[in-house]
Amino acid sequence: QQPVQSPQAVILREGEDAVINCSSSKALYSVHWYRQKHGEAPVFLMILLKGGEQKGHDKISASFNEKKQQSSLYLTASQLSYSGTYFCGTQSGNTPLVFGKGTRLSVIA
Amino acid sequence: DTAVSQTPKYLVTQMGNDKSIKCEQNLGHDTMYWYKQDSKKFLKIMFSYNNKELIINETVPNRFSPKSPDKAHLNLHINSLELGDSAVYFCASSRQGAGNTEAFFGQGTRLTVV
């Protein structure tokens, strides 16, 4: 079942923060976050496996709520290099990794 | 060394033709995937395959078929190509299922059907 991402698109100025949400109608085994730049392949950012888990590196972090039905990706003090389309991918049971429709993030100077 | 490689990178072909896209991974992964990314950038799972099980997205036309000569390869064969098949196709791999491990993507194959 495809997760729902919001917002569809966001425009930020350098240094601003953003939150991208990913939700499912049922409990998830895991949530993946990927970033895809124009003309390139998606690149892995992080995986969250446990309800209540939070992860992050540099100024990009994510959380996975206790009921394991929602995850949020936090981008703080955004940089031009953060621009791209962010996908959450979810997996439950034995199903393959299924992606949301993506959130297009544009960071401008 | 490229972890997941696809060939060709670009493919232009006429309607009705049959074509194949090759994918190879040198990561020793058990599971490989094919995704289709359309003009709206939606990444749609087409197939998930390991040496034990093939999972097919039921919305994928049977003109599409995965062929795996060995664990390191998962090729995509498409019969009777249609205009709507134009998209970027990504191959990916991961250890076992993708549930708790990172999926690595190939660079994509841009298929244009004319």
Side-chain angles (χ1 to χ4, degrees):
Chain A
Q1 186 172 2
Q2 182 185 5
V4 177
Q5 279 186 242
S6 64
Q8 289 185 322
V10 60
I11 299 174
L12 297 174
R13 292 196 178 277
E14 276 188 290
E16 292 182 338
D17 302 340
V19 180
I20 300 171
N21 297 306
C22 176
S23 63
S24 171
S25 59
K26 57 182 180 179
L28 301 168
Y29 176 76
S30 64
V31 175
H32 297 220
W33 286 98
Y34 289 77
R35 178 172 62 205
Q36 184 180 30
K37 292 187 177 288
H38 181 69
E40 299 180 5
V43 174
F44 172 79
L45 293 176
M46 63 190 81
I47 293 178
L48 299 102
L49 297 175
K50 301 177 183 177
E53 184 174 14
Q54 296 189 31
K55 275 190 177 180
H57 56 85
D58 196 10
K59 295 175 181 173
I60 299 176
S61 61
S63 63
F64 193 9
N65 80 355
E66 290 292 340
K67 293 186 178 180
K68 300 179 70 174
Q69 288 185 254
Q70 184 178 13
S71 176
S72 295
L73 185 71
Y74 306 93
L75 300 105
T76 58
S78 57
Q79 306 168 16
L80 294 175
S81 62
Y82 287 3
S83 293
T85 301
Y86 289 78
F87 292 96
C88 73
T90 60
Q91 196 254 355
S92 57
N94 292 321
T95 61
L97 186 60
V98 177
F99 289 97
K101 292 189 176 180
T103 297
R104 183 174 295 179
L105 178 73
S106 301
V107 181
I108 58 176
Chain B
D1 281 347
T2 303
V4 182
S5 60
Q6 296 177 226
T7 54
K9 188 171 181 179
Y10 299 96
L11 181 56
V12 181
T13 187
Q14 290 185 328
M15 285 175 57
N17 284 350
D18 302 339
K19 289 293 179 183
S20 292
I21 305 172
K22 295 184 177 181
C23 178
E24 176 183 4
Q25 54 95 4
N26 61 6
L27 299 167
H29 287 166
D30 300 295
T31 306
M32 297 183 73
Y33 314 85
W34 278 104
Y35 289 88
K36 177 182 180 182
Q37 187 169 47
D38 58 24
S39 58
K40 295 183 179 179
K41 303 300 183 185
F42 174 34
L43 271 170
K44 175 184 172 183
I45 180 73
M46 300 178 71
F47 304 102
S48 168
Y49 183 80
N50 63 27
N51 55 8
K52 299 177 184 177
E53 185 178 15
L54 171 65
I55 299 175
I56 302 172
N57 184 326
E58 61 187 13
T59 66
V60 174
N62 58 14
R63 297 182 294 103
F64 290 79
S65 57
K67 299 186 189 301
S68 180
D70 55 57
K71 199 170 80 167
H73 297 82
L74 184 65
N75 303 324
L76 182 65
H77 190 76
I78 315 169
N79 290 326
S80 302
L81 278 155
E82 301 178 357
L83 293 176
D85 297 333
S86 295
V88 179
Y89 292 84
F90 285 101
C91 174
S93 73
S94 70
R95 282 190 283 116
Q96 295 183 326
N100 60 354
T101 60
E102 172 185 358
F104 290 80
F105 283 80
Q107 78 274 27
T109 296
R110 182 175 293 276
L111 172 65
T112 303
V113 182
V114 297

